[in-house]
């Protein structure tokens, strides 16, 4: 994208309403704008990040055999009356009436809808297991929306739902999902630690939250540093083998990790002092096993091996995709701006033309840009170099390709690495090779 033609509005002023770094930076770097309390428009730069995160999440869901579908945002109250949650959900649910005076709602989550959909189709235990997910907007009328998209009212969530024929299979599915989550967060460049959690209004008795350590997090967290040392992408787990999944699950859960709500001081005291990590965390994912709560509650059964009705065992698994944009920034920024992990960065690099109009600079920049116009941002604006440097640091592109008249004459680009500040003097090919290295 050529910046002169793009819609990439940055702000010099620090917005007064933003209390935390990620919110300030998302407004200043032109990622989002608020359109109503807790509701945001995603500007082009923000949308690119959101889509990149969504894609990593999608690939890891597909890798464990989950299948994507897309359910609507608007739901009928009738479904929620069947599960008994229509009244129980309370004022967080946005209730709407259509012109026929039917009670509708903007979905805060989709357990009822997916259970009904699967129940309409699946008749026999032989058709199980099934894991389905979508990435869709949700609405929760939070009492105190705050910190921008961190706690919004409208937010983007990946929610998966699993149906198994037995408890053992359901637990294996839960463990598979835990592995997919650890891989997802690692690919997103953040450390998200799974912690035993309360199940809240979703219900059930096995649940983990995934938290990213950040001083502005809403929960206190305590965990064993052993959990930071794992490389989940290299971990060999046979996802079709229950024993292999169990070994993996035990390996994760044997190390202490809990939020303040579930903290156990006696267990914490057993963790060697040099491995105790204590701080605040942002919840970016939450997985639940809740058995037959919804299938039984909504009377949705299939025929079992013995011919008798069987209520499928369920779990649900959420990732806060829009919240992750903010959480990644909380975990990765400095005084000058955002520092995007390469996997989610809106662009691989920004090309800074320090002297538009200089023939050799323009030619060299065009050569760089022509290599991958969709993956590169080209700052071709008629602005001072200082403005370009500041905007590049603020927006946080992993690399800056700096082109000035002197270097251009020799065919040289100065490459700056945003995260480390390292600089390299390179030819066009060398610079592109570094920026596009796998
Ligand atoms: N049905 C289950 C799992 S699919 C569910 O709704 N779980 S949840 O309530 O824990 O939400 C899943 C994730 O959505 C959370 O871990 C969090 O990252 C994100 N989330 C929840 N509420 C908000 C909000 N108000 N703003 C932004 N993200 C949110």
């Amino acid at each position: 994208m050529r910046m002169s033609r793009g819609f990439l509005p940055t702000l010099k002023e620090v917005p007064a309403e933003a209390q935390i770094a990620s919110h300030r930076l998302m407004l200043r770097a032109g990622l989002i704008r608020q359109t109503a309390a807790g509701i945001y428009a995603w500007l082009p730069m923000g949308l690119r990040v959101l889509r990149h995160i969504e894609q990593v999440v999608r690939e890891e869901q597909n890798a464990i055999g989950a299948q994507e579908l897309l359910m609507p945002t608007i739901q009928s109250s009738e479904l929620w009356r069947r599960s008994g949650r229509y009244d129980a959900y309370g004022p967080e649910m946005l209730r709407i009436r259509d012109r026929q005076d039917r009670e509708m709602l903007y979905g805060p989550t989709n357990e009822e809808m997916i259970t009904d959909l699967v129940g309409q189709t699946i008749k026999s235990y032989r058709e199980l297991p099934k894991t389905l997910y979508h990435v869709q907007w949700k609405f929760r009328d939070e009492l105190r929306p705050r910190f921008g998209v961190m706690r919004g009212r409208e937010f983007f969530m990946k929610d998966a739902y699993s149906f198994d024929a037995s408890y053992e299979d359901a637990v294996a599915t839960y463990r598979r999902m835990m592995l997919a989550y650890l891989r997802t967060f690692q690919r997103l460049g953040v450390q998200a630690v799974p912690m035993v959690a309360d199940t809240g209004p979703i219900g059930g008795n096995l649940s983990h939250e995934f938290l990213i350590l950040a001083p502005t997090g809403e929960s206190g967290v305590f965990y064993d540093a052993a959990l930071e040392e794992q490389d989940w992408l290299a971990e060999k787990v046979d996802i079709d083998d229950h024993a292999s999944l169990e070994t993996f699950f035990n390996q994760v859960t044997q190390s202490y990790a809990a939020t303040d709500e579930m903290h156990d001081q006696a267990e914490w005291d057993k963790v060697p002092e040099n491995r105790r990590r204590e701080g605040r965390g942002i919840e970016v994912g939450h997985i639940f096993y809740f058995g037959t709560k919804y299938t039984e509650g909504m009377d949705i059964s299939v025929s079992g091996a013995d011919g008798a009705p069987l209520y499928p065992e369920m779990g649900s698994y959420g990732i806060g995709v829009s919240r992750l944009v903010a959480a990644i920034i909380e975990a990765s920024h400095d005084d000058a701006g955002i520092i995007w992990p390469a996997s989610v960065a809106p662009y691989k690099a920004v090309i800074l033309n320090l002297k538009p109009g200089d023939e050799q600079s323009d030619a060299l920049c065009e050569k760089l840009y022509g290599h991958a116009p969709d993956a590169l941002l080209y700052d071709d604006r008629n602005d001072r170099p200082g403005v370009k440097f500041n905007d590049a640091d603020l927006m946080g592109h992993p690399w800056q390709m700096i082109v000035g008249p002197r270097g251009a004459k020799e065919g040289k680009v100065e490459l700056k690495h945003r995260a480390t500040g390292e600089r390299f003097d390179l030819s066009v090919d060398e610079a592109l090779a570094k920026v596009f290295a796998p």
Side-chain angles (χ1 to χ4, degrees):
M1 168 59 64
R2 288 172 203 275
M3 263 178 105
S4 60
R5 296 188 201 157
F7 183 61
L8 303 153
T10 55
L11 301 175
K12 259 196 234 65
E13 309 301 321
V14 178
E17 76 270 27
Q19 300 162 30
I20 62 171
S22 59
H23 190 192
R24 283 195 290 273
L25 289 169
M26 287 184 78
L27 291 169
R28 284 189 54 215
L31 270 57
I32 52 165
R33 289 289 182 269
Q34 182 172 302
T35 61
I39 303 179
Y40 292 83
W42 289 79
L43 306 188
M45 181 86 79
L47 182 62
R48 287 180 72 97
V49 179
L50 194 69
R51 292 284 180 242
H52 290 167
I53 296 174
E54 179 186 357
Q55 187 54 26
V56 171
V57 170
R58 173 175 291 122
E59 285 169 14
E60 293 300 327
Q61 291 294 295
N62 294 347
I64 56 160
Q67 223 185 346
E68 185 170 9
L69 80 173
L70 184 58
M71 291 179 273
T73 54
I74 305 292
Q75 306 187 19
S76 156
S77 63
E78 187 264 332
L79 273 175
W80 288 69
R81 289 200 194 283
R82 275 167 61 197
S83 74
R85 277 210 297 183
Y86 189 66
D87 295 320
Y89 215 92
E92 260 198 19
M93 180 184 277
L94 181 65
R95 295 158 209 255
I96 308 163
R97 275 179 198 276
D98 70 9
R99 63 164 65 188
Q100 316 292 352
D101 213 28
R102 280 184 292 245
E103 290 174 322
M104 313 292 285
L105 57 103
Y106 194 123
T109 177
N110 285 63
E111 279 83 0
E112 284 77 357
M113 189 179 279
I114 195 82
T115 306
D116 183 53
L117 278 171
V118 168
Q120 283 174 28
T121 311
I122 293 192
K123 299 296 168 211
S124 159
Y125 76 99
R126 283 195 214 89
E127 297 166 77
L128 299 175
K130 291 276 176 280
T131 300
L132 296 160
Y133 73 96
H134 70 166
V135 194
Q136 178 62 293
W137 295 94
K138 304 288 184 292
F139 196 95
R140 293 182 188 171
D141 202 352
E142 301 270 353
L143 190 55
R144 269 183 285 280
R146 58 184 191 151
F147 302 158
V149 299
M150 191 76 87
R151 181 169 293 284
R153 292 199 298 165
E154 189 185 43
F155 60 98
F156 203 38
M157 192 205 285
K158 184 287 297 181
D159 38 327
Y161 304 89
S162 63
F163 299 82
D164 281 282
S166 69
Y167 172 76
E168 291 70 28
D169 287 352
V171 167
T173 298
Y174 183 91
R175 293 171 175 169
R176 220 176 274 131
M177 197 56 85
M178 176 177 270
L179 178 66
Y181 273 43
L182 291 166
R183 289 186 170 159
T184 301
F185 295 124
Q186 188 174 330
R187 283 184 61 190
L188 295 176
V190 287
Q191 183 83 57
V193 180
M195 308 198 179
V196 184
D198 209 8
T199 52
I202 305 285
N205 54 17
L206 175 58
S207 174
H208 285 85
E209 289 177 358
F210 292 75
L211 290 105
I212 292 181
L213 208 60
T216 45
E218 293 187 297
S219 326
V221 296
F222 304 81
Y223 69 89
D224 185 332
L227 286 161
E228 288 178 345
E229 288 146 22
Q230 309 281 350
D231 178 359
W232 302 113
L233 298 171
E235 198 79 12
K236 295 260 177 293
V237 182
D238 179 353
I239 60 165
D240 298 316
D241 178 47
H242 286 197
S244 177
L245 286 165
E246 182 171 11
T247 308
F248 150 75
F249 183 76
N250 291 341
Q251 182 194 338
V252 177
T253 52
Q254 76 187 4
S255 299
Y256 186 86
T259 59
D260 40 15
E261 286 170 2
M262 306 289 280
H263 189 47
D264 179 338
Q265 191 62 40
E267 286 300 312
W268 183 234
D269 289 340
K270 293 184 199 158
V271 179
E273 216 156 327
N274 64 335
R275 291 213 321 244
R276 288 186 205 159
R277 297 286 180 275
E278 199 179 325
R280 306 206 60 81
I282 301 167
E283 183 201 315
V284 289
H286 202 156
I287 58 178
F288 305 84
Y289 159 76
F290 45 72
T292 59
K293 175 177 157 132
Y294 293 93
T295 45
E296 241 181 291
M298 295 171 73
D299 196 21
I300 286 173
S301 63
V302 299
S303 64
D306 53 4
L310 176 151
Y311 291 111
E313 298 265 339
M314 286 181 67
S316 75
Y317 317 87
I319 291 185
V321 177
S322 51
R323 174 177 288 182
L324 264 165
V325 180
I328 292 170
I329 297 174
E330 283 300 321
S332 182
H333 70 273
D334 62 15
D335 289 344
I338 302 168
I339 304 171
W340 288 118
S343 58
V344 303
Y347 295 94
K348 297 267 181 204
V350 61
I351 303 162
L352 303 181
N353 187 344
L354 301 187
K355 202 164 185 204
D358 173 72
E359 211 173 299
Q360 279 159 329
S361 299
D362 290 353
L364 201 143
C365 288
E366 290 296 338
K367 197 165 168 195
L368 289 168
Y369 181 56
H371 179 77
D374 190 50
L376 294 167
L377 184 64
Y378 176 16
D379 193 345
D380 59 342
R381 296 174 300 173
N382 272 317
D383 271 315
R384 285 178 292 108
V387 172
K388 299 189 179 188
F389 290 137
N390 286 343
D391 277 352
D393 281 349
L394 173 63
M395 291 178 184
H397 317 287
W399 296 98
Q400 297 171 14
M401 304 172 112
I402 304 163
V403 178
R406 216 173 322 134
K409 211 182 283 175
E410 294 163 25
K412 290 279 185 193
V413 184
E414 188 189 359
L415 198 62
K416 178 185 154 187
H417 190 226
R418 175 67 178 87
T420 60
E422 276 177 291
R423 288 168 189 269
F424 308 86
D425 264 321
L426 301 173
S427 70
V428 167
D429 288 345
E430 289 166 338
L432 288 171
K434 233 178 159 59
V435 167
F436 289 94

